[in-house]
Amino acid sequence: MLTPIIEKPRVLALANQKGGVGKTTTAINLATALAAVGMRTLILDMDPQGNASTGLGIGRHARSTSIYEVLLGEADLVDAAVPSGIPNLDIVPSTIDLSGAELELVEMERRAHRLRDAIDRQVGPTKKPLDYAYILVDCPPSLNLLSLNAMVAADAVLVPLQCEFFALEGLSLLLKTIERVRHTLNPGLDIQGVVLTMFDRRNNLCDQVARDVRAHLGAKVYQTVIPRNVRISEAPSHGKPALIYDYRCPGSEAYMRLAGELLRQERARTTEQAA
Ligand SMILES: Nc1ncnc2c1ncn2[C@@H]1O[C@H](COP(=O)(O)OP(=O)(O)OP(=O)(O)O)[C@@H](O)[C@H]1O
Ligand SMILES: [Mg+2]
């Protein structure tokens, strides 16, 4: 009997230890844009705040199996995934239980590999394959064991960066952490890219920081910049991605362009690998 070939989804961790820089907003809207062009996408809410789950309108009743049970090995990833209501987009929600997970994980075997193991268990000719092209992991604002699990499970890290004072200091700490993870726990870990968020053209500091980041990281910084846009900040309270709440606002248009850039980047990468 022929074994079906099941490709592994591309796993991207949205990480930045700084709070409120647009990790969750980027996870939700990038995932929605990918789903809109037919890429089946799964969001993993790895933040005890549960903002990605709330932002997608996932109510309490739909969170009975969450990422917490997955990390503890009590549930399979596919069983914990719930539909977001948007075609091609599912989410494994989080609950406040996750805030205690760190302490519980410390005691466990393969404590930094729990998420990776959960993904690997689904890949291959299993009865319930992980049928997604992309998995986007929304990390909490800290370099804790939850973020570490995300980086160990990920193929690459996508960094949302707000153009503000100290952004570069924060970024260099994050880059050092990624480097450390690559040398120890996940040699395949790449940097997918840095996306500048909440950009305000009228702010000179914003412009200066953007130029500095581009000077340091060059092509790793996406051409697409996400503008500060009030429609983006309104969307989560309606339990919808900005792309659904108002798909024509400048923020939604920027996230569509970001998805286009990511897909071109992915095409170039897979062509290079095949050559
Ligand atoms: N482009 C934008 N324009 C306006 N508001 C934005 C934009 N992006 C994000 N926001 C708002 O800024 C706040 C922080 O964004 P978000 O929750 O995505 O950041 P985060 O990095 O996930 O935060 P945390 O570190 O707490 O998880 C939210 O209220 C969000 O709605
Ligand atoms: Mg968040």
Side-chain angles (χ1 to χ4, degrees):
M1 196 181 85
L2 283 176
T3 326
I5 298 168
I6 297 158
E7 279 196 34
K8 190 177 173 289
R10 175 88 172 156
V11 183
L12 304 178
L14 283 105
N16 189 332
Q17 73 281 5
K18 183 137 192 349
V21 296
K23 295 179 287 293
T24 303
T25 305
T26 302
I28 290 178
N29 288 292
L30 182 58
T32 304
L34 291 170
V37 295
M39 299 282 167
R40 277 186 51 77
T41 302
L42 177 67
I43 294 179
L44 304 184
D45 190 347
M46 281 286 272
D47 186 347
Q49 297 179 100
N51 293 345
S53 311
T54 310
L56 280 174
I58 309 297
R60 297 263 147 251
H61 60 283
R63 299 193 200 185
S64 53
T65 311
S66 71
I67 195 77
Y68 172 75
E69 284 79 17
V70 172
L71 290 171
L72 262 54
E74 292 169 4
D76 273 348
L77 210 46
V78 277
D79 296 328
V82 294
S84 67
I86 295 158
N88 293 325
L89 179 59
D90 294 344
I91 177 167
V92 176
S94 122
T95 63
I96 196 68
D97 289 341
L98 192 58
S99 58
E102 253 216 297
L103 283 176
E104 291 169 69
L105 289 179
V106 168
E107 308 280 311
M108 293 188 167
E109 262 178 62
R110 293 179 64 74
R111 60 186 173 187
H113 290 79
R114 309 294 300 188
L115 184 59
R116 177 167 211 137
D117 291 348
I119 293 174
D120 287 350
R121 270 201 298 280
Q122 309 284 176
V123 176
T126 61
K127 272 191 233 139
K128 294 178 288 184
L130 207 48
D131 176 25
Y132 298 98
Y134 287 94
I135 296 182
L136 304 188
V137 190
D138 185 26
C139 293
S142 119
L143 294 172
N144 60 13
L145 197 45
L146 294 171
S147 304
L148 188 61
N149 263 274
M151 289 192 203
V152 172
D155 296 300
V157 180
L158 201 162
V159 184
L161 190 83
Q162 197 182 343
C163 293
E164 59 188 356
F165 201 58
F166 289 135
L168 276 173
E169 281 81 350
L171 182 61
S172 73
L173 174 64
L174 179 60
L175 296 179
K176 270 187 211 138
T177 306
I178 295 171
E179 190 66 16
R180 230 183 358 251
V181 174
R182 188 185 298 132
H183 277 117
T184 51
L185 301 164
N186 183 7
L189 186 65
D190 202 354
I191 296 169
Q192 187 78 20
V194 174
V195 56
L196 304 176
T197 59
M198 289 181 247
F199 193 80
D200 180 358
R201 275 177 212 293
R202 292 161 305 180
N203 182 334
N204 288 336
L205 178 66
C206 227
D207 237 12
Q208 183 59 48
V209 173
R211 257 177 287 156
D212 287 353
V213 174
R214 289 192 192 282
H216 274 82
L217 293 170
K220 279 289 178 198
V221 186
Y222 288 105
Q223 288 302 316
T224 306
V225 167
I226 312 297
R228 185 172 281 285
N229 181 193
V230 70
R231 303 297 273 169
I232 290 194
S233 56
E234 288 168 2
S237 64
H238 297 267
K240 287 180 182 161
L243 267 163
I244 302 290
Y245 177 63
D246 181 354
Y247 76 96
R248 292 166 78 171
C249 73
S252 294
E253 287 181 350
Y255 275 114
M256 283 301 284
R257 282 200 303 279
L258 180 66
E261 242 192 272
L262 180 97
L263 290 171
R264 284 195 295 280
Q265 185 187 24
E266 283 302 290
R267 253 195 310 273
R269 186 182 59 78
T270 42
T271 318
E272 212 172 88
Q273 271 177 359

